[in-house]
Amino acid sequence: MKFTVLGSGAGIPSRTRNTQSYILDVVEEINQYFLIDASEGVQHRILHTTVRPSKIKHIFITHLHGDHIYGLPGFLSSRAHQGGEDIPLTIYGPPGLKEWIGLTLKTSHSQLNYPVHYEEVSHNVQYEVEGFTVDTYLLDHTIDSYMYVFNEPEKLGKLNTDKLKAIGIQPGPSYKEIKNSGTFSHEGVTYDTKAFLSDPVPGRKVSVHGDTRVITKPDYLSLLEGSDLIVHEATYLEREIEKAHMYFHSEIHNVLQNFSQIDYRKILFSHISNRYDEDDIRLIKETLDEHVSIAHDYLEITIPRISL
Ligand SMILES: [Zn+2]
Ligand SMILES: [Zn+2]
């Protein structure tokens, strides 16, 4: 599992940062990519990666500000000519997204040659997406803005073959059947499979925020608890906490202080304002722990499967 930043800037693009788009690469797990937000130029950014548009089957939009969605119509149109024919796509996003896309495609006489399904998101909903569970949380921004929490399913533990042999089941195809069943019978006795498996391997958890103020609510923090990767906005990098609050954005140290009460493996700050040049950012980076990163375009983060 890998997280790729396609755009790390806030509001308007700069020469070094495009506006907001990310890829959660779950090719190894389920042979596809999740696209999170689709800023202007997202399809051009994708051309610089190994991502195949036809393998994007789920798009998650955090909110309807232009720096997060203006690339969506272009991406949808091009996908039709990039191997996406007949491959269904689901788009998750706040109310209004479906109408906007529909009108844009209609006005430009664009027709998609694959089915598109829209899921209108609301607060605290859980979706089942290709075996993953995806939670939504309504954040605190000028318009409805959501966090998506991607939870990978846990992996079954290893089969204890010695234990199976001890009850008289010899190695063979039945081992696979036993592993994938809840219970099994042998010589008239029913066994619980769990007793023959080692502890399950927990799935990974990736929490991606849309634009937001800092939120201190307990239900929000407990949803984030145990994340392998948290992606959070940091429109303000330098102690302008009041200003950040006033404009419904966040300041980096304020976020870190808020998260000091929870356990997580890594945090990535993005949505970087073009008021900061790369020298400013380098200096700020030097003051941060090794589990804190500041995004740049095309940054790739590998998310290993290790429990906290
Ligand atoms: Zn934004
Ligand atoms: Zn916004």
Side-chain angles (χ1 to χ4, degrees):
M1 189 184 288
K2 209 169 69 181
F3 190 83
T4 304
V5 177
L6 296 179
S8 58
I12 54 172
S14 70
R15 269 182 296 176
T16 51
R17 292 176 191 275
N18 195 16
T19 44
Q20 297 287 286
S21 309
Y22 306 104
I23 289 281
L24 182 59
D25 177 336
V26 279
V27 169
E28 252 181 49
E29 293 75 23
I30 52 168
N31 197 28
Q32 55 183 283
Y33 302 93
F34 296 153
L35 175 64
I36 304 152
D37 282 346
S39 58
E40 204 178 335
V42 63
Q43 57 170 317
H44 308 77
R45 292 275 142 155
I46 286 173
L47 293 174
H48 293 276
T49 69
T50 53
V51 175
R52 293 229 306 269
S54 60
K55 283 195 176 182
I56 295 175
K57 297 176 190 169
H58 300 272
I59 300 177
F60 300 85
I61 299 295
T62 61
H63 67 299
L64 303 187
H65 277 153
D67 55 330
H68 299 254
I69 61 167
Y70 280 172
L72 194 49
F75 171 80
L76 296 179
S77 303
S78 298
R79 184 184 184 271
H81 307 286
Q82 292 168 320
E85 190 172 352
D86 296 329
I87 299 176
L89 177 76
T90 303
I91 305 175
Y92 306 77
L97 184 62
K98 185 182 176 181
E99 287 70 26
W100 176 67
I101 296 288
L103 188 62
T104 307
L105 294 178
K106 191 173 163 225
T107 311
S108 57
H109 292 263
S110 306
Q111 266 175 359
L112 304 182
N113 55 12
Y114 54 87
V116 180
H117 172 69
Y118 290 88
E119 281 290 342
E120 207 167 79
V121 299
S122 52
H123 181 51
N124 254 336
V125 176
Q126 193 169 70
Y127 294 104
E128 285 300 316
V129 182
E130 316 273 356
F132 279 65
T133 54
V134 183
D135 292 292
T136 65
Y137 193 95
L138 179 63
L139 303 167
D140 186 6
H141 194 44
T142 50
I143 58 172
D144 283 2
S145 176
Y146 288 90
M147 167 171 73
Y148 293 101
V149 179
F150 300 88
N151 302 280
E152 183 187 26
E154 63 179 21
K155 235 167 84 173
L156 285 179
K158 278 209 178 96
L159 207 55
N160 187 332
T161 50
D162 287 343
K163 244 179 155 180
L164 283 173
K165 283 180 208 157
I167 59 162
I169 304 179
Q170 295 311 313
S174 64
Y175 273 22
K176 200 180 172 189
E177 275 169 43
I178 289 170
K179 190 175 177 180
N180 293 318
S181 65
T183 57
F184 64 94
S185 299
H186 181 63
E187 292 175 350
V189 184
T190 302
Y191 296 93
D192 186 351
T193 308
K194 263 195 210 138
F196 294 83
L197 294 172
S198 62
D199 286 342
V201 185
R204 285 157 285 192
K205 181 170 177 176
V206 179
S207 307
V208 186
H209 290 73
D211 294 0
T212 187
R213 279 172 168 169
V214 167
I215 297 173
T216 55
K217 289 180 189 167
D219 65 331
Y220 161 76
L221 292 171
S222 67
L223 188 58
L224 283 171
E225 182 75 43
S227 294
D228 291 270
L229 176 67
I230 295 175
V231 182
H232 198 288
E233 71 131 287
T235 313
Y236 293 85
L237 293 174
E238 291 172 309
R239 314 218 174 269
E240 293 171 287
I241 296 174
E242 279 170 25
K243 213 169 173 186
H245 187 80
M246 194 163 80
Y247 291 111
F248 290 84
H249 284 293
S250 297
E251 190 271 351
I252 190 167
H253 300 96
N254 198 10
V255 178
L256 287 172
Q257 197 197 6
N258 187 35
F259 290 166
S260 63
Q261 8 176 2
I262 58 166
D263 265 337
Y264 60 95
R265 188 166 292 281
K266 201 172 178 52
I267 186 162
L268 174 69
F269 285 104
S270 188
H271 205 266
I272 309 299
S273 163
N274 62 11
R275 295 183 299 132
Y276 305 106
D277 64 27
E278 296 308 313
D279 285 336
D280 298 332
I281 290 165
R282 211 169 297 126
L283 287 173
I284 293 162
K285 265 185 187 167
E286 283 173 14
T287 67
L288 302 170
D289 288 357
E290 78 280 3
H291 72 281
V292 184
S293 301
I294 296 184
H296 57 79
D297 289 18
Y298 301 119
L299 172 68
E300 281 185 4
I301 295 179
T302 302
I303 308 161
R305 196 192 262 273
I306 326 164
S307 51
L308 278 167

